[in-house]
């Protein structure tokens, strides 16, 4: 049983920043995310795309923002349960919660903050007959451990950043990398497209465009794939097929938690603390809705801050909290570290 003050569901920017605000209040956090890495949409969909509306950053790459947030919160030592989906929630008599993942891992928390972005992301699967049979038998929708593909033949399908980036990365790991896209043009970062072109010229990546995977073969696990290339059919031997067609957002099991839902979003009280209709459960970031809601990262940061203040009062009823700016109070981490502004000196000037 993992125990924590605030259980955050969603490791996107809003969930990560909530760890920092909670840490200032001496509250510990643990994060659950169905994706195998932190960062949510920023890491999975557009890590190399610039964001222009983060205060203090005229321009910041999505992946760099995630890295900066991780650096900001590391002294508060959050725990992570990645690659597992929050499946069920049980409210105990004392007002605390037990959240269990789809893999049976239990988490005991005083409060729950749902920061799941647009919901529980599920991979968009190609419409190929028997693809479900080959899942975990050669078909992968996520790359958790690149070493799994060491010296293997890998086919990647897709035309976005994820397909380009993983083709580049695995070209130095796998024995053979084939990238298939149904169009000649790729929609990704220019440097990634140029890098794939360079690796193709060097013979380190095989490129098939326009082309589409239309069949999978193998008795017990994947052995080869059928490709439609400009109307001609051919077969390629491979150990792994990795379709990277993006993610489909869904509320998933959270929709069955007794929360008030409106247009696939969770209704919250924005007049106070972004609490749901169930006391002790909050929703922050893109997953919530209220009058005037804007789905912006900076709005999620604001909501995370007020949520943490509310949880503090929930856990410390009647105790007055005097907010101090970090320029005055500094930041004390759970790891014993301290960040503070340089102390002023008292000295006369001759």
């Amino acid at each position: 049983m993992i125990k924590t003050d605030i259980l955050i569901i969603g490791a996107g920017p809003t969930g990560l920043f909530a760890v920092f605000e909670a840490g200032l209040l001496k509250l510990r956090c643990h994060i659950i995310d169905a994706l195998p890495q932190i960062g949510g949409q920023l890491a999975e969909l557009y890590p190399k795309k610039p964001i222009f509306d983060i205060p203090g950053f005229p321009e910041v790459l999505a992946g760099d923002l995630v890295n900066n947030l991780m650096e900001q919160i590391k002294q508060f030592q959050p725990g992570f349960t990645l690659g597992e989906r929050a499946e069920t929630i049980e409210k105990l008599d004392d007002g605390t919660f037990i959240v269990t993942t789809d893999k049976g891992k239990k988490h005991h928390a005083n409060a729950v903050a749902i920061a799941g972005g647009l919901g529980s992301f599920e991979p968009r699967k190609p419409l190929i007959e028997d693809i479900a049979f080959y899942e975990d038998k050669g078909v992968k929708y996520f790359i958790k451990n690149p070493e799994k593909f060491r010296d293997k033949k890998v086919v990647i399908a897709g035309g976005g950043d994820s397909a380009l980036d993983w083709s580049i990365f695995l070209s130095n790991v796998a024995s053979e990398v084939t990238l298939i896209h149904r169009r000649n043009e790729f929609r990704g970062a220019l440097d990634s497209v140029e890098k794939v072109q360079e690796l193709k010229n060097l013979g380190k990546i095989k490129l098939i465009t326009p082309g589409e995977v239309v069949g999978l073969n193998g008795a017990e696990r994947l052995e080869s794939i059928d490709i439609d290339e400009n109307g001609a059919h051919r077969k390629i031997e491979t150990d792994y097929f990795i379709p990277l067609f993006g993610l489909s957002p869904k509320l998933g099991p959270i929709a069955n938690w007794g929360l008030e839902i409106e247009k696939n979003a969770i209704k919250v009280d924005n007049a106070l603390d972004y609490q749901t209709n169930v006391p002790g459960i909050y929703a922050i970031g893109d997953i919530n809705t209220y009058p005037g809601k804007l789905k912006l990262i900076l709005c999620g940061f604001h909501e995370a801050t007020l949520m943490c203040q509310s949880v503090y009062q929930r856990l410390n009823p009647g105790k007055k909290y005097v907010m101090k700016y970090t320029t005055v109070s500094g930041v004390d981490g759970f790891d014993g570290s301290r960040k503070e502004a340089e102390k002023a000196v008292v000295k006369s000037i001759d």
Side-chain angles (χ1 to χ4, degrees):
M1 181 83 72
I2 294 172
K3 295 187 177 182
T4 189
D5 294 316
I6 305 176
L7 181 66
I8 300 171
I9 299 173
T14 295
L16 295 177
F17 187 69
V19 175
F20 177 79
E21 288 297 323
L24 295 179
L25 300 168
K26 309 300 181 188
L27 300 176
R28 292 189 176 272
C29 295
H30 190 93
I31 299 179
I32 298 175
D33 200 294
L35 295 176
Q37 74 282 322
I38 55 94
Q41 297 176 66
L42 273 64
E44 185 64 27
L45 299 184
Y46 49 93
K48 291 190 175 182
K49 297 278 180 71
I51 302 173
F52 300 102
D53 60 356
I54 302 298
F57 290 93
E59 177 181 336
V60 60
L61 296 181
D64 289 343
L65 178 59
V66 172
N67 293 336
N68 290 342
L69 286 165
M70 287 296 291
E71 178 66 24
Q72 186 176 27
I73 68 174
K74 71 178 183 180
Q75 66 189 126
F76 295 124
Q77 300 179 312
F80 291 92
T81 298
L82 300 177
E84 298 187 31
R85 184 179 61 194
E87 193 77 15
T88 63
I89 189 167
E90 176 188 2
K91 190 169 186 178
L92 305 182
D93 292 340
D94 62 359
T96 62
F97 300 89
I98 300 290
V99 174
T100 306
T101 69
D102 57 339
K103 295 184 179 177
K105 189 175 293 181
K106 294 184 178 294
H107 305 73
H108 184 202
N110 293 305
V112 174
I114 303 172
L118 297 175
S120 174
F121 287 105
E122 297 179 7
R124 290 193 174 97
K125 302 179 181 182
L127 299 176
I128 301 175
E129 188 177 356
D130 295 330
I131 192 169
F133 172 79
Y134 293 103
E135 291 172 358
D136 292 325
K137 299 175 185 175
V139 171
K140 299 286 185 183
Y141 301 108
F142 299 109
I143 298 177
K144 299 181 182 180
N145 178 16
E147 281 299 314
K148 189 180 187 70
F149 307 100
R150 173 72 62 182
D151 300 326
K152 302 293 185 180
K153 293 181 179 179
V154 177
V155 173
I156 294 175
D161 284 314
S162 292
L164 291 165
D165 291 344
W166 280 118
S167 295
I168 293 168
F169 187 92
L170 292 179
S171 68
N172 292 315
V173 176
S175 62
E176 183 180 290
V177 174
T178 301
L179 175 59
I180 300 175
H181 184 36
R182 58 187 174 182
R183 299 184 181 90
N184 290 318
E185 301 80 18
F186 288 84
R187 186 182 296 274
L190 179 60
D191 62 332
S192 296
V193 176
E194 292 177 342
K195 184 65 175 177
V196 168
Q197 178 69 63
E198 177 187 340
L199 291 169
K200 173 183 177 289
N201 294 341
L202 293 172
K204 298 194 69 174
I205 290 179
K206 296 181 179 180
L207 192 61
I208 299 177
T209 60
E212 188 175 359
V213 178
V214 294
L216 307 175
N217 310 296
E220 296 182 1
R221 61 165 286 114
L222 185 65
E223 296 175 1
S224 66
I225 60 173
D226 295 324
I227 297 174
D228 183 332
E229 184 179 3
N230 270 330
H233 289 264
R234 66 184 176 109
K235 183 173 294 190
I236 293 180
E237 290 186 359
T238 189
D239 298 302
Y240 290 98
F241 171 49
I242 310 172
L244 297 174
F245 298 146
L247 301 171
S248 177
K250 297 179 181 178
L251 273 182
I254 291 174
N256 303 318
W257 287 7
L259 305 175
E260 193 173 352
I261 307 295
E262 181 180 283
K263 294 181 179 179
N264 209 41
I266 302 171
K267 290 186 70 174
V268 295
D269 176 13
N270 68 308
L272 185 61
D273 55 10
Y274 305 97
Q275 198 160 191
T276 68
N277 59 301
V278 178
I281 301 181
Y282 302 76
I284 54 177
D286 288 357
I287 202 166
N288 73 14
T289 186
Y290 52 83
K293 169 69 179 182
L294 293 177
K295 294 189 175 185
L296 296 172
I297 294 174
L298 63 91
C299 294
F301 289 168
H302 163 77
E303 295 164 11
T305 303
L306 296 190
M307 176 276 294
C308 290
Q309 294 285 332
S310 177
V311 174
Y312 179 87
Q313 294 299 329
R314 175 181 171 83
L315 302 186
N316 301 278
K319 184 176 181 180
K320 186 177 180 180
Y321 172 73
V322 179
M323 192 194 82
K324 293 182 180 180
Y325 299 113
T326 55
T327 50
V328 176
S329 65
V331 178
D332 293 306
F334 297 148
D335 57 0
S337 64
R338 177 169 175 76
K339 297 177 181 177
E340 61 182 330
E342 189 174 329
K343 298 291 185 182
V345 296
V346 179
K347 190 177 187 302
S348 61
I349 298 177
D350 296 331

